[in-house]
C-alpha cells in the first residue's frame, strides 16, 4: 500500500465545510478529515462543490450556494500548508507529499451552471476542474440514470459539452443515462472519466455501467 497513490474519486467534504463555516467553524478539512486521509494513504480528493441535489442546509443547484462553498474551500486551503488545490497538470506532480492532501473541485451535475454560461467561466476561475452533466434525475442539459431512456442531450447540453471541452474541464459521466452517455462520446474529443460508478455485471445498479460502456470509456483513453 505504501507504493500506491490513493485518490478518492468522489467526496462530499465541501458540503460539510459549507455547513460548518456557516456555524463559524474553520479549518474543517485539516482538523476533521486530513488525519484520517493521511493515515489511510489518501493523497487526493475529488470534492463536490455543487450539483443537482440539495439538503436542508445546502442547495447544490443554487449558484450563490456554490460560489459561497468555493469561497469556503479556498479559505480552508489558503489557511493550511497541508491542503493543495489541483488546477493544472503540473499540480499533479506534487500529490503524495507527506502529510498533504490535494483537492480537485467538482460539480456533480450541471444545474448550478443554469443557462448562463458565464457562470461556468466563474466556476473555472475559482478552481473547478471536473464536472458531470447530471445527478440521477433530469435537468436542462441531460438525463440522469434514474430517468427512463428517451430524451438525449438538449441543445443546451450539447452547447455545454463544447464549453467544457474549451475549458479542458474533466468530463465525468457518472450518473448519466445511456443515450446521453453515447451522445457525449460522439461529441467530445478528450478522455472522459466515471468517478464513482462500477461494473453492472458485478452489481446490477442503474448507476453502474455495462461492459460495452466501460469499453467505450477505455477507447477514449479515459
Amino acid at each position: 500500500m505504501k507504493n500506491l497513490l490513493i485518490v478518492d474519486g468522489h467526496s462530499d467534504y465541501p458540503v460539510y465545510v459549507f455547513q460548518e463555516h456557516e456555524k463559524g467553524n474553520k479549518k474543517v478539512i485539516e482538523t476533521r478529515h486530513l488525519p484520517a486521509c493521511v493515515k489511510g494513504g489518501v493523497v487526493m480528493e475529488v470534492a463536490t462543490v455543487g450539483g443537482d441535489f440539495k439538503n436542508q442546509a445546502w442547495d447544490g443547484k443554487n449558484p450563490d450556494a456554490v460560489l459561497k462553498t468555493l469561497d469556503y474551500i479556498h479559505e480552508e486551503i489558503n489557511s493550511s500548508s497541508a491542503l493543495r488545490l489541483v488546477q493544472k497538470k503540473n499540480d499533479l506532480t506534487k500529490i503524495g507529499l507527506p502529510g498533504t492532501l490535494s483537492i480537485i473541485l467538482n460539480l456533480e451535475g450541471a444545474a448550478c451552471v443554469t443557462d448562463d454560461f458565464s457562470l461556468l467561466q466563474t466556476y473555472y476561475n475559482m478552481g473547478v476542474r471536473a464536472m458531470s452533466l447530471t445527478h440521477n434525475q433530469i435537468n436542462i442539459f441531460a438525463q440522469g440514470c434514474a430517468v427512463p431512456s428517451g430524451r438525449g442531450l438538449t441543445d443546451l447540453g450539447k452547447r455545454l459539452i463544447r464549453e467544457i471541452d474549451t475549458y479542458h474541464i474533466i468530463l465525468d459521466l457518472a450518473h448519466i443515462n445511456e443515450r446521453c452517455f453515447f451522445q457525449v462520446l460522439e461529441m467530445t474529443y478528450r478522455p472522459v472519466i466515471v468517478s464513482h460508478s462500477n461494473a453492472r455485471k458485478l452489481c446490477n445498479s442503474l448507476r453502474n455501467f455495462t461492459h460495452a460502456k466501460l469499453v467505450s470509456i477505455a477507447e477514449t483513453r479515459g
Side-chain angles (χ1 to χ4, degrees):
M1 292 293 288
K2 292 180 180 179
N3 296 322
L4 296 178
L5 295 177
I6 302 172
V7 175
D8 180 359
H10 177 65
S11 162
D12 289 326
Y13 284 178
V15 179
Y16 184 60
V17 167
F18 175 90
Q19 294 169 341
E20 290 300 304
H21 274 247
E22 290 289 285
K23 299 174 187 175
N25 298 323
K26 308 292 184 179
K27 289 183 173 288
V28 177
I29 297 177
E30 184 176 282
T31 58
R32 306 192 188 185
H33 298 297
L34 179 65
C37 288
V38 171
K39 184 177 180 180
V42 176
V43 299
M44 185 161 68
E45 294 280 349
V46 180
T48 299
V49 291
D52 286 14
F53 56 93
K54 61 182 178 179
N55 58 35
Q56 291 181 339
W58 186 81
D59 184 357
K61 299 180 181 182
N62 185 336
D64 290 338
V66 174
L67 292 171
K68 187 177 282 190
T69 304
L70 286 164
D71 276 338
Y72 289 153
I73 292 296
H74 278 279
E75 185 179 336
E76 293 266 316
I77 292 171
N78 293 337
S79 65
S80 172
S81 61
L83 302 179
R84 302 169 184 271
L85 183 62
V86 175
Q87 299 186 81
K88 55 186 183 296
K89 184 177 179 179
N90 285 345
D91 293 335
L92 294 173
T93 65
K94 302 172 185 176
I95 67 172
L97 295 176
T100 66
L101 181 67
S102 296
I103 297 172
I104 294 180
L105 299 177
N106 171 61
L107 299 179
E108 189 183 20
C112 62
V113 176
T114 71
D115 59 357
D116 178 4
F117 281 22
S118 65
L119 281 168
L120 183 63
Q121 181 173 355
T122 300
Y123 298 145
Y124 180 84
N125 290 343
M126 294 188 73
V128 171
R129 290 298 181 268
M131 66 181 295
S132 56
L133 296 182
T134 68
H135 198 250
N136 290 332
Q137 302 301 320
I138 193 170
N139 61 25
I140 62 174
F141 304 108
Q143 290 185 203
C145 60
V147 180
S149 292
R151 194 190 85 180
L153 298 174
T154 65
D155 289 341
L156 269 178
K158 293 173 183 177
R159 181 183 163 201
L160 181 60
I161 296 295
R162 290 191 289 269
E163 292 288 324
I164 290 170
D165 280 349
T166 298
Y167 285 104
H168 287 193
I169 292 172
I170 299 167
L171 188 56
D172 183 355
L173 296 183
H175 291 282
I176 203 166
N177 81 347
E178 187 159 325
R179 183 175 181 188
C180 293
F181 171 88
F182 285 109
Q183 283 183 307
V184 170
L185 293 191
E186 289 174 1
M187 288 191 64
T188 187
Y189 61 91
R190 297 184 302 114
V192 300
I193 69 166
V194 181
S195 61
H196 57 292
S197 297
N198 294 290
R200 182 81 63 87
K201 188 174 182 179
L202 298 179
C203 180
N204 189 22
S205 164
L206 286 174
R207 287 170 57 167
N208 288 341
F209 279 25
T210 63
H211 182 72
K213 289 167 77 173
L214 295 174
V215 169
S216 296
I217 293 168
E219 288 174 348
T220 73
R221 301 185 70 183

